[in-house]
Amino acid sequence: MRNAPTILHLDMDAFYASAEQASKPSLRGKAVVVGGLGPRGVVATASYEARVFGVRSAMPMAQARRLAPNAAYLVPRFGFYRAISEQVMGLLHALSPLVEPLSLDEAFVDLEAGEAAWDATSARLVGERLRADIRAVTGLTGSVGLAASKMLAKIASEEAKPDGLVLIEPGTERAMLGPMSVRTLPGVGPATGDHLRRAGITTVDDLAEAGEDELVRLLGKAHGHALHAMALAHDDRPVVAEREAKSVSVEDTYDVDIHDRLRVGLEVQRLADRCVRRLRAAGLSGRTIVLKVRRYDFSTLTRSETLRGPTDDPAVVREAAARLLDSVDTTGGVRLLGVGVSGLADYTQEDLFAQAAGEGTAEQVTEEGDRREEPAEERQAVVERRWPAGHDVRHAEFGHGWVQGSGLGRVTVRFETPRSEPGRVRTFRVDDPDLEPADPLPLVEDVTGVSAEGVGA
């Protein structure tokens, strides 16, 4: 480990929910929950006001609604969050060439590699300046942890939440970690925590005192060895600038089980096209096509097929996914479908036989094209989905607003912007010609030349 706290961990505070509150003046200081709103949806992020009621990330949305019935429940706007993330990551890359993103709202930074910090004093100054810059550029807050290792920096940022900074001085790690719960350490989830508790191990000090041999006996060689090292505050993992993607995949969970085999096939085709779009956006291709099916009884099946060469041809991926589906019994109903591509490469080897077989049908099927083939009742459902809760709209007379809710042929909109006062609410027909989807507005005036404006929801 280092002798200076020059590894920084940034974690944006309740990122999705905070972005929604900053975007919508009427929600500031209110409980906000972002996630899938269907019966099987889960919470992606809850604001700190919602957490007071016990709402947490990854919780079933139905449970969240029981705990906080008066919260605002919104559908994620990932394009909007991604634009803000790019602004934040730009600030981190200005500090060091070694930035390791973990998600849209979280990253490690090696300050030493960028010569931005070399001791505790300089590291603290960098951390405070970063928090101020993030607030100025995005209007949001982030918590910063500084330590001599990645594990400790992440623990420090968690201790700093919300909107704070914690620096762990080298030499104080063991004393700080000792009284903490074993669940503080990475890799110790509920099951491992319960297993250790039954053995009388509840704190990090207990782990260290148990010794490596005992932990290996309880948890196995790899996990026991790693956990003992972490209990002693040993972590030599470097900050890695880029992680090589192993696969690209997409999946959907359905509010109601799909029983119609034709509908299942259409969903697989649509997922294959979405997967190829992600593949192409990353400049990649792949050899192995993977189909994932979770059936009505929660049993999950995966099927895969390896091609002769890497491809990013949507027709090839669709056809392979369809062949894989033929081998799966979906009679009882399907609750989740996924399509993925692995064996990635940065080039394609055109499959001439597949091209010949698919000639005339290789044009990528768009989501609009898929909809034209759906039954009338499915088209009606699509009309309702045009107005997801929380997404941006514009009205010819009233201007910019966001959807509070929709149903029964009506859509309710609150008209306000990030820099306005809380706005008025009005209700329209879902097919009102004066109402249309809109792009999100930037949260603050453009300070750096990077703006969220123009990014679709």
Side-chain angles (χ1 to χ4, degrees), residues 55-141:
V55 181
R56 296 288 184 269
S57 298
M59 172 182 288
M61 191 60 76
Q63 182 181 356
R65 287 186 184 276
R66 288 193 296 271
L67 293 171
N70 296 320
Y73 289 87
L74 308 177
V75 176
R77 297 185 291 164
F78 288 112
F80 179 51
Y81 310 146
R82 192 172 294 111
I84 299 172
S85 174
E86 288 171 359
Q87 293 177 302
V88 173
M89 295 302 166
L91 294 173
L92 300 184
H93 281 286
L95 297 176
S96 172
L98 291 184
V99 176
E100 182 178 338
L102 303 179
S103 62
L104 289 179
D105 61 338
E106 186 180 2
F108 288 109
V109 185
D110 187 334
L111 299 178
E112 193 174 287
E115 299 183 354
W118 49 92
D119 59 12
T121 301
S122 58
R124 185 180 293 277
L125 287 173
V126 169
E128 294 291 6
R129 186 171 67 247
L130 174 64
R131 292 177 57 235
D133 288 346
I134 289 172
R135 186 186 289 273
V137 170
T138 71
L140 304 180
T141 63

Side-chain angles (χ1 to χ4, degrees), residues 318-395:
R318 282 200 302 271
E319 290 165 10
R323 287 193 296 272
L324 294 170
L325 181 61
D326 287 341
S327 66
V328 178
D329 179 10
T330 62
T331 307
V334 170
R335 58 186 293 121
L336 177 147
L337 290 168
V339 174
V341 178
S342 60
L344 301 182
D346 56 4
Y347 65 94
T348 62
Q349 179 177 316
E350 300 298 340
D351 187 331
L352 300 180
F353 294 102
Q355 283 185 350
E359 190 172 358
T361 63
E363 182 177 346
Q364 183 166 335
V365 177
T366 66
E367 291 191 6
E368 288 298 324
D370 285 343
R371 288 172 187 160
R372 284 196 294 270
E373 295 184 6
E374 291 177 351
E377 60 269 25
E378 293 297 332
R379 288 198 297 272
Q380 179 62 35
V382 170
V383 170
E384 296 294 334
R385 288 199 296 271
R386 285 176 51 208
W387 310 113
H391 283 224
D392 298 82
V393 295
R394 178 169 292 280
H395 190 273

